[in-house]
Amino acid sequence: MTKETKMAGGGDTELMAAFAAYTEANDARLAEIEAKGTSDPLTDERLSRIDRRLEALSLKMARPEAGEGKTADEDARSAAWGRYLRSGDDSGLSRLDVKAQEGPRVKSLPVMEAREGAGLPSVYGRMRVGGQVIWAARFKETKTTRRASSKGGPKVTEYDYSVSFAVALGEGPILGVRRAWANGEAFDLSGVVHRVYPGDETQEPDPLIEMIEGEAPAYRGTAYIVFEDLPLEAFGNRLPQLSVEVERVPPGGSEPGLGDVVTGVNIIPASGEFVYATEIVREQRFPGHERALNAWSGEARADFLVSLDQLESDLPNVSRAALTVGWFGTSIEAGACEIHPGVETRERVTVPYAWEVAGVARGDAYVISRDEDGHPNYGGTPADRCVIGAIQEMKARGLSVTLSPFLFMDCEGFPWRGRIGVSTDGTAAARSEIDSFMNGANGFRHFILHHAELAAEAGGVEAFLIGSEMVGLSRVRDATGAFPFVEALVALAAEVKAILPGAQISYGADWTENGAYVPGDGSGDVLFPLDALWASADVDFVGVDWYPPLGDWRDGDDHLDALAGYAAADDPAYLTSQIAGGEAYDWYYADQAARDTQVRTPINDTAHGEHFVFRQKDIAGWAGAYHHERPGGVRAATPTGWVPGMKPVRLMEIGFAAVDKGGNAPNLFYDPKSSESALPPYSSGARDEVFQRRALAAVLPYWESEPLVEAAYVWAWDGRPFPAWPLKEEVWSDGGNWARGHWLNGRSGLAPLADVVADICARGGVAAGRWCFAWRATAACWMWRPARWSKAD
């Protein structure tokens, strides 16, 4: 709210004119910053001159009858008056001898650009655009009269203004509005009443416009946003200069997008003390000073809520989500490994609630290791309260929720949890070490059961995982040849089922782990360690984290797959051929030298014709057959407890990095902090989002059309909102991994360049055969088209 004081006596005309000039110059400076990122020096100089003129006039008018002589009190009065005029700071004015005050009243409302025949942007990808006002109602005035202070004083009459208006954003349909700015500053749309119309051909007129005008166009084909009673106080009682970030892909694209094919996601990052909180949590840094820990999007809401909104907008077909929650293992030696919930620091004080996990308060919690700069190597374990709230929020949005406890390794090299092992396989010591790992006070069983109890407290979940990718333990034998970790998983599944009787229970096996185990120790053994788990009455589906090779592409045109007629690593025909073919299905490489020279050894079971036994990629063959173990190379007459097709398969993780030749090794993740960090074989390391998109478009429809696969969860969707993450590196240290990582955030709106070229050519009447097909993606480009509407629209 702005306020002016009508001073006793005349002579204020010159001062008001100077104040109006100051306001005009300041608005011009803000517009320059909005357009160019900086202001013109001439504008700055003009503003400075007017500022000095205001100061002189305010000093002159503070007590004009006294002439030039002024007391210290009068100087204070003058300073307060000048400060008040320029910035609205009325500190000190309450002590002055002023009469009744009345705030400014607006007689007319200046608006942002609204020109007849102005161009309308056609955006390809994601871009920030300015708007054109296409409709505005009369502004609304609200009058408030109050006393200057609680002890009396002059009456002060103030006026608040609001207005309803509509702004055209560009050609539709758009995927959505991602961010907004007002006068160059981030603008939180969640705090105002607004409606976004995507610009499709079925949208109806806005009810407010229709109510006021009696008859209104629907603006079909035009994306626009309607603001209802937008308060103008923060913008100097005028319409702000708005710009928004929109996403749009060309209509009738030649290829399916992420929004078309993704139906399930894993929600990460699994670490971050309040990363999944549904309310803003603030850190009290010192008395009277707080900062939000989970509100970095520019909106006055918790980051997780913003991320879920983006998920719904970017991937509208998602109906399933697995929430990952991380604790920390201290060693890859099973007998020495403890598993703890961790905090980034023990010194933090937070409101409205404190961090607590499994009854452990911050002051007693395990402290996560730090890097050489003193920063935590991971975010802390999400607080129990925020995990419960996240599950409830996801369910309220109609998502089928899986809770997936996730084990980070906070030890040297930050390795993969699949590296946890025992000192010696096939010994009594191996069983003892696994028992310590599972049943210790800070063991794996405690870790899993606590999350089962959280899920129950949240009102239940659709599915629950009792662990994932513990391949270094699931294939360990004791002195009798039994698999003690698998036995422990079977017992653990029964305990979790008792806590969550309505949930689907399983384990997320690594893609090399769910099927046959061939030790390679010369024994000739062929075993199926996890079959006892899959056959258990307390396990409802087979969970597989599916990351096998989806190609063996090299540079040049003289390697085997190019010679076979495929065009590129992201050739859709090539990718489809690799799902049930290629490496780990038709053939394998015996060693690195064979890989470098492409000497491929066929995969054939010459003894019994059970080729699926040695095909790690062959889920259909494995699930559709009886499993006969071969101890010492001799096929057992009796199969394991697995019966063909006895349970459905869920691909609990499936994904591809957005990196050159990402299909050569989808299981590799780029993270310089970890000893596991690597690029796919023969990759240049260049960012390649087209590959990621095409790989998912190939494998997801394939598996979801298979009767045995009932769900697929893509890795990954981040619970931190894009683009605050990954851009705010001062908040999150892993943002640099996004460019070449598996994340889906921020990638649904990418437009394949071929589709952009095709759309532009179609507008110009150029036949499809006249333009060169392009394969890459564009993050943002745009063109103008004339804007015309009628009531028929």
Side-chain angles (χ1 to χ4, degrees):
M1 181 184 313
T2 60
K3 301 184 285 287
E4 291 175 11
T5 300
K6 290 190 174 180
M7 298 179 297
D12 60 348
T13 303
E14 187 179 5
L15 183 62
M16 292 300 102
F19 182 54
Y22 182 90
T23 302
E24 180 184 354
N26 194 46
D27 287 346
R29 180 175 179 273
L30 289 174
E32 290 169 0
I33 293 173
E34 165 79 10
K36 300 183 296 184
T38 185
S39 59
D40 191 297
L42 292 177
T43 304
D44 291 339
E45 175 59 27
R46 178 172 177 243
L47 192 63
S48 180
R49 289 199 309 270
I50 298 171
D51 183 57
R52 292 193 295 271
R53 177 65 176 159
L54 265 174
E55 183 73 26
L57 285 170
S58 62
L59 288 171
K60 178 180 178 182
M61 297 187 67
R63 190 167 175 148
E65 69 278 10
E68 296 301 319
K70 300 181 181 66
T71 67
D73 182 65
E74 289 164 348
D75 285 338
R77 174 190 178 109
S78 299
W81 173 239
R83 187 168 62 246
Y84 168 65
L85 279 175
R86 288 190 299 279
S87 66
D89 179 5
D90 61 0
S91 61
L93 286 181
S94 60
R95 299 189 300 273
L96 304 182
D97 182 20
V98 295
K99 296 183 178 180
Q101 303 171 21
E102 184 172 312
R105 298 188 67 183
V106 175
K107 293 184 173 62
S108 63
L109 187 66
V111 297
M112 71 183 78
E113 186 174 52
R115 294 185 292 109
E116 188 73 28
L120 191 68
S122 297
V123 171
Y124 298 98
R126 183 190 314 113
M127 177 166 279
R128 178 175 174 176
V129 298
Q132 287 281 334
V133 176
I134 56 175
W135 173 83
R138 291 180 61 84
F139 62 87
K140 182 185 296 184
E141 179 184 83
T142 303
K143 177 180 177 180
T144 305
T145 301
R146 61 177 176 82
R147 289 291 181 183
S149 71
S150 61
K151 296 182 179 180
K155 289 183 179 180
V156 177
T157 300
E158 298 167 334
Y159 297 91
D160 290 330
Y161 294 92
S162 64
V163 69
S164 299
F165 62 102
V167 180
L169 305 177
E171 183 180 13
I174 62 172
L175 296 178
V177 170
R178 298 296 176 247
R179 294 182 290 171
W181 294 264
N183 295 340
E185 300 293 331
F187 181 40
D188 180 7
L189 289 174
S190 70
V192 298
V193 178
H194 71 284
R195 292 177 290 279
V196 175
Y197 292 87
D200 57 37
E201 295 301 324
T202 62
Q203 69 188 20
E204 296 297 325
D206 181 77
L208 177 67
I209 301 177
E210 200 167 36
M211 180 185 71
I212 294 175
E213 303 296 338
E215 187 177 2
Y219 300 107
R220 290 176 182 150
T222 297
Y224 70 104
I225 184 170
V226 176
F227 292 93
E228 187 169 337
D229 282 335
L230 177 71
L232 299 179
E233 173 187 352
F235 312 115
N237 280 343
R238 66 185 64 199
L239 281 185
Q241 294 294 324
L242 291 173
S243 59
V244 298
E245 184 180 79
V246 301
E247 283 188 5
R248 177 181 174 271
V249 295
S254 59
E255 304 176 24
L258 295 177
D260 299 314
V261 299
V262 178
T263 59
V265 294
N266 286 272
I267 294 180
I268 61 173
S271 65
E273 294 175 357
F274 303 102
V275 70
Y276 298 142
T278 56
E279 57 189 313
I280 294 177
V281 178
R282 303 179 304 280
E283 178 183 13
Q284 294 182 323
R285 308 192 77 176
F286 47 83
H289 187 275
E290 297 178 349
R291 66 159 183 158
L293 295 174
N294 63 325
W296 298 101
S297 70
E299 299 188 19
R301 297 188 297 153
D303 286 336
F304 187 60
L305 297 181
V306 179
S307 178
L308 288 180
D309 285 350
Q310 293 176 347
L311 173 64
E312 291 175 344
S313 175
D314 291 8
L315 306 175
N317 292 323
V318 167
S319 60
R320 299 172 180 267
L323 184 69
T324 59
V325 182
W327 284 25
F328 300 91
T330 59
S331 174
I332 60 171
E333 297 176 8
C337 182
E338 294 185 351
I339 301 172
H340 298 276
V343 294
E344 298 153 31
T345 175
R346 288 180 176 159
E347 308 306 319
R348 180 174 287 161
V349 177
T350 57
V351 291
Y353 60 91
W355 182 94
E356 184 176 322
V357 175
V360 178
R362 180 182 296 277
D364 300 318
Y366 170 83
V367 178
I368 295 161
S369 66
R370 294 181 173 263
D371 62 20
E372 60 272 14
D373 296 321
H375 302 127
N377 284 307
Y378 297 97
T381 296
D384 282 350
R385 177 168 165 176
C386 74
V387 173
I388 292 169
I391 293 171
Q392 293 171 336
E393 176 67 25
M394 292 164 66
K395 289 164 60 178
R397 291 172 180 251
L399 294 171
S400 294
V401 179
T402 298
L403 186 57
S404 177
F406 194 90
L407 187 57
F408 293 106
M409 300 309 298
D410 191 21
C411 55
E412 185 178 357
F414 309 104
W416 171 46
R417 59 195 178 281
R419 306 292 181 199
I420 300 174
V422 299
S423 55
T424 309
D425 187 18
T427 64
R431 175 172 286 275
S432 176
E433 290 167 25
I434 287 175
D435 180 70
S436 175
F437 175 80
M438 287 294 300
N439 299 311
N442 296 301
F444 190 81
R445 176 176 172 272
H446 168 64
F447 164 53
I448 297 298
L449 291 182
H450 172 70
H451 285 90
E453 290 162 356
L454 280 186
E457 189 173 346
V461 290
E462 192 273 333
F464 185 93
L465 295 184
I466 59 171
S468 63
E469 299 182 17
M470 306 295 289
V471 63
L473 294 177
S474 66
R475 294 182 166 182
V476 169
R477 292 169 285 186
D478 66 7
T480 68
F483 293 91
F485 184 71
V486 176
E487 293 173 2
L489 287 178
V490 172
L492 187 57
E495 289 187 273
V496 171
K497 196 69 168 180
I499 297 170
L500 298 169
Q504 302 288 294
I505 309 300
S506 192
Y507 168 82
D510 182 71
W511 69 279
T512 65
E513 180 187 12
N514 66 281
Y517 171 46
V518 181
D521 57 0
S523 65
D525 289 348
V526 177
L527 308 170
F528 292 89
L530 285 181
D531 274 15
L533 179 66
W534 304 138
S536 167
D538 298 306
V539 171
D540 300 287
F541 63 90
V542 175
V544 181
D545 292 355
W546 200 74
Y547 293 108
L550 205 70
D552 182 35
W553 202 260
R554 317 292 173 94
D555 290 332
D557 55 9
D558 58 350
H559 59 92
L560 293 181
D561 293 348
L563 294 173
Y566 295 110
D570 58 8
D571 180 347
Y574 177 59
L575 293 169
T576 301
S577 74
Q578 298 295 304
I579 300 172
E583 186 176 2
Y585 194 99
D586 294 323
W587 49 265
Y588 71 98
Y589 285 126
D591 51 35
Q592 185 59 45
R595 182 176 295 277
D596 289 339
T597 56
Q598 291 196 297
V599 177
R600 297 171 173 176
T601 303
I603 297 175
N604 289 306
D605 180 18
T606 56
H608 302 285
E610 296 174 327
H611 307 303
F612 75 88
V613 171
F614 304 105
R615 292 174 171 172
Q616 293 174 315
K617 208 151 98 172
D618 189 2
I619 293 179
W622 171 88
Y626 287 101
H627 304 158
H628 293 263
E629 293 188 323
R630 305 179 192 179
V634 179
R635 187 175 185 270
T638 304
T640 66
W642 176 261
V643 175
M646 70 183 297
K647 292 176 184 176
V649 173
R650 294 189 185 185
L651 305 181
M652 294 311 304
E653 291 183 26
I654 182 171
F656 301 90
V659 69
D660 173 60
K661 302 180 186 67
N664 287 3
N667 61 317
L668 296 181
F669 292 73
Y670 177 78
D671 182 359
K673 175 187 72 180
S674 172
S675 59
E676 306 283 352
S677 178
L679 294 170
Y682 314 106
S683 171
S684 68
R687 177 174 164 181
D688 190 348
E689 285 153 326
V690 171
F691 169 79
Q692 181 191 51
R693 172 178 171 149
R694 289 183 172 170
L696 289 171
V699 301
L700 292 175
Y702 176 93
W703 283 122
E704 291 182 355
S705 67
E706 286 284 326
L708 71 99
V709 175
E710 67 177 10
Y713 297 76
V714 178
W715 188 276
W717 182 268
D718 206 294
R720 298 167 291 184
F722 186 89
W725 186 89
L727 294 182
K728 290 185 179 294
E729 295 186 355
E730 71 278 12
V731 179
W732 299 294
S733 62
D734 61 340
N737 300 342
W738 174 82
R740 292 177 284 187
H742 288 60
W743 283 273
L744 302 180
N745 306 61
R747 289 181 165 134
S748 66
L750 295 176
L753 187 56
D755 292 349
V756 174
V757 173
D759 190 64
I760 294 173
C761 289
R763 292 169 185 268
V766 179
R770 297 286 302 278
W771 47 271
C772 178
F773 197 78
W775 288 91
R776 297 299 93 190
T778 179
C781 68
W782 57 274
M783 56 186 289
W784 290 101
R785 72 167 179 82
R788 300 184 183 91
W789 303 287
S790 68
K791 287 185 171 60
D793 294 326

